[in-house]
Amino acid sequence: MEYAGRYAPSPTGRQHLGNARTALLAWLDARAQRGRFVLRIEDLDPGRARRLYETTVLEDLRWLGIDWDEGPDRGGPHGPYRQSERHDRYAEVLARLPTYPCSCTRKELRLTASAPHGIEPVYPATCRDRPPSPARPLALRWRTPAGEAVAHDRFLGRLHQDVAREIGDVVLQRGDGAYAYQLAVVVDDAAMGITDVVRGADLWSSTPRQVWLQRALGLPTPRYTHVPLVLGPDGDKLSKRHGAPEMVGLRRAGVDGARVVALLARSANLCGPAVRRVRPRELVDDFDWARLTEPGATHVLDLDGLRA
Ligand code: GLU
């Protein structure tokens, strides 16, 4: 099957260098495979998504030299490419799954949910068999079937989870009507023919839920690559504390995008330590995921190198 990859940012803020590295790696994999690359805007949350941030994402990517074949600005055969314009598709799929309304408040969930198995509290199925309180906004939960969801990740290996037991019945639509990320991403990856999902390692824990939904819906499971997160100069996960500039700030300060690409590529061992400027297309021919696990890949951003 022809390779199709995607970058799927949520336009809820300005992009930082970690986002840029994920985008670069997803793009490189797609281009190295002579594949299609989709830009999908995940503006599901009406309270947080802003069109201004979407515009900024597109400008950031262009400045870096990352292009896309399908996206909100240029259309394509699998559009629309904004999740806010795909609600009818999510509604249709949601109607095919066994769900029930849930009126639990956040506070109730905090009090009743337990977290014995993992990082997220398990929903105790409070509303599964009781009539929900009509006075409250209702979320929709999937009667999540028992069994083990298994996915394979290029870096993390076998990911597995008994979603029903370790997460509980998954929310597919929130009380305010917003569709859940887990549902939208599964619907869209399938509808857009995505064969390869490359995204940040912080999202790995969503993958078994997505695989479980794909199975329930009879949809194919893409290949997954959760890329290591970038680190600050002290080796900790990159954060504001490190003073890492946002992309838009670098752009407006007149920094050459090729310098930023070189910084990102050096951290991933995709170019030599002496390379100061490089365009993404110059990295395509030698791109190889194996380089990210060699000792040269520090995943540390040389922020001083950027300023110098
Ligand atoms: N929209 C998600 C984010 O920006 C990424 C979703 C994905 O790649 O599956 O964190």
Side-chain angles (χ1 to χ4, degrees):
M1 203 194 320
E2 194 214 339
Y3 182 110
R6 67 357 175 241
Y7 179 54
S10 303
T12 54
R14 293 168 159 187
Q15 297 214 107
H16 51 76
L17 290 161
N19 303 127
R21 196 173 93 138
T22 300
L24 175 66
L25 291 169
W27 182 91
L28 281 171
D29 196 35
R31 295 307 184 218
Q33 309 272 341
R34 306 279 173 262
R36 179 160 69 80
F37 194 59
V38 176
L39 176 62
R40 183 172 73 226
I41 299 296
E42 302 212 319
D43 54 353
L44 276 179
D45 187 338
R48 295 179 61 220
R50 298 274 178 278
R51 195 53 81 86
L52 174 71
Y53 292 132
E54 174 191 316
T55 308
T56 310
V57 170
L58 269 62
E59 286 168 1
D60 289 345
L61 294 173
R62 287 193 192 105
W63 169 67
L64 293 171
I66 291 175
D67 65 350
W68 49 94
D69 307 302
E70 302 171 30
D73 57 325
R74 52 183 306 165
H78 307 91
Y81 294 93
R82 285 185 194 101
Q83 290 188 327
S84 60
E85 296 167 10
R86 302 180 62 82
H87 287 180
D88 51 340
R89 286 147 171 100
Y90 310 141
E92 203 179 293
V93 171
L94 191 56
R96 283 166 45 200
L97 291 165
T99 56
Y100 61 88
C102 168
S103 58
C104 291
T105 60
R106 270 175 204 274
K107 192 167 168 207
E108 281 169 350
L109 292 177
R110 254 201 324 273
L111 293 174
T112 55
S114 56
H117 302 291
I119 39 177
E120 289 182 51
V122 180
Y123 178 63
T126 320
C127 288
R128 202 184 238 249
D129 299 308
R130 76 165 184 193
S133 159
R136 293 190 191 157
L138 304 177
L140 275 186
R141 287 188 185 267
W142 178 32
R143 287 179 190 275
T144 306
E148 191 166 59
V150 180
H152 293 276
D153 180 84
R154 192 188 301 270
F155 289 119
L156 305 173
R158 186 171 178 272
L159 300 173
H160 61 98
Q161 188 174 50
D162 183 326
V163 179
R165 193 168 59 83
E166 298 178 49
I167 300 282
D169 290 336
V170 177
V171 173
L172 298 182
Q173 190 173 22
R174 296 190 329 204
D176 65 1
Y179 291 97
Y181 157 69
Q182 309 292 358
L183 177 72
V185 83
V186 163
V187 171
D188 291 346
D189 283 341
M192 296 176 181
I194 300 301
T195 60
D196 286 74
V197 170
V198 176
R199 60 185 173 195
D202 51 341
L203 285 168
W204 72 266
S205 66
S206 288
T207 303
R209 258 170 283 182
Q210 293 172 16
V211 167
W212 210 225
L213 273 168
Q214 287 153 3
R215 215 175 102 143
L217 292 164
L219 300 173
T221 290
R223 269 184 298 264
Y224 286 98
T225 304
H226 290 89
V227 299
L229 296 181
V230 276
L231 309 174
D234 57 3
D236 278 351
K237 191 179 160 212
L238 187 73
S239 71
K240 284 218 162 64
R241 183 171 54 80
H242 293 108
E246 286 158 344
M247 306 257 280
V248 66
L250 293 167
R251 207 154 37 80
R252 292 194 184 141
V255 174
D256 181 355
R259 283 180 67 179
V260 177
V261 174
L263 170 95
L264 301 171
R266 289 201 303 273
S267 77
N269 194 33
L270 297 177
C271 65
V275 174
R276 294 289 129 182
R277 279 187 171 72
V278 70
R279 305 302 295 176
R281 62 174 180 277
E282 298 172 82
L283 298 167
V284 171
D285 287 348
D286 290 336
F287 179 70
D288 182 351
W289 285 114
R291 296 176 68 165
L292 269 81
T293 48
E294 289 170 0
T298 58
H299 308 297
V300 169
L301 286 185
D302 169 22
L303 294 173
D304 288 339
L306 194 60
R307 288 184 197 105

